[in-house]
Amino acid sequence: MALLLERSVEEAHLYMAMHPCEVCGESDFECQSAVVMAEGDLASRYQGPCDGCGTAREFVFRLPEAVSLPGNRVRFGGPEPSELLDAGEWLWVAGNFAAVEPLGDLAAEDLAAEELTGEELAAARADLAGAVAAVDEVLKFLPDGAEEPPDEAFWSERGKRVRAESPADLRREHLEARRAKYEEALTVLTGR
């Protein structure tokens, strides 16, 4: 089986956090990273002991031929859809970023009135930027003119569950509205 593509370090770390230790269920591990050759490809290898039980953990991902730098916005990868996380998982990630306190489901006007400290404000901006970027990742799975991701855009248990529980949330119109809401809230917070 070919190695999965790591489009960015951020995407790789998100994938690893979503795939906890098979022995104890802990997500964190003290990983060391290295660039290696694996299966004939240049790859990133992350390895280290599980923080929970000490079990050796290792992840190896194929590196892209060219790296695109994210600029001043959060980006998890280039223009191609992810090989690490499916469309449903990206929607789940977006919801988790946006649900972090003190954001919750606050509307942009509510955020403007929210009293956030410097650290809280920075964290809220980072979470909303992550939510916007995660919705962008879902949108990459929609072929031109399609209203929803195709069946092959869902391969994980979590992604299939997200799709089954709320298929309307994966429609282009809903995704674009959700992205706009997150972007508006981020604009409000950035202006503070």
Side-chain angles (χ1 to χ4, degrees), residues 135-163:
V135 173
D136 286 342
E137 291 300 326
V138 181
L139 289 165
K140 291 176 187 179
F141 284 96
L142 276 69
D144 289 340
E147 289 304 312
E148 58 191 43
D151 291 343
E152 57 270 12
F154 303 90
W155 58 81
S156 72
E157 268 186 53
R158 178 180 285 128
K160 290 175 184 177
R161 186 174 60 249
V162 166
R163 183 183 194 195

Side-chain angles (χ1 to χ4, degrees), residues 10-132:
E10 293 78 12
E11 180 184 41
H13 281 271
L14 187 58
Y15 177 88
M16 292 184 291
M18 292 173 64
H19 291 82
C21 175
E22 293 179 1
V23 175
C24 73
E26 174 67 46
S27 292
D28 293 334
F29 71 107
E30 197 66 39
C31 73
Q32 301 293 316
S33 64
V35 175
V36 298
M37 287 298 292
E39 299 183 23
D41 289 314
L42 198 56
S44 284
R45 181 180 64 215
Y46 301 89
Q47 62 184 15
C50 170
D51 283 0
C53 66
T55 298
R57 300 189 69 203
E58 180 180 62
F59 295 88
V60 181
F61 305 110
R62 186 175 86 251
L63 288 172
E65 291 179 20
V67 175
S68 60
L69 299 175
N72 62 353
R73 292 297 295 250
V74 174
R75 285 186 45 212
F76 291 106
E80 68 284 339
S82 176
E83 292 181 14
L84 298 182
L85 303 178
D86 69 22
E89 288 178 302
W90 281 115
L91 185 62
W92 181 85
V93 167
N96 279 299
F97 271 124
V100 174
E101 290 296 329
L103 300 176
D105 280 329
L106 293 176
E109 59 271 10
D110 296 330
L111 281 173
E114 189 75 15
E115 295 295 326
L116 301 177
T117 66
E119 283 183 21
E120 290 173 331
L121 184 59
R125 286 177 184 149
D127 289 334
L128 278 170
V132 169

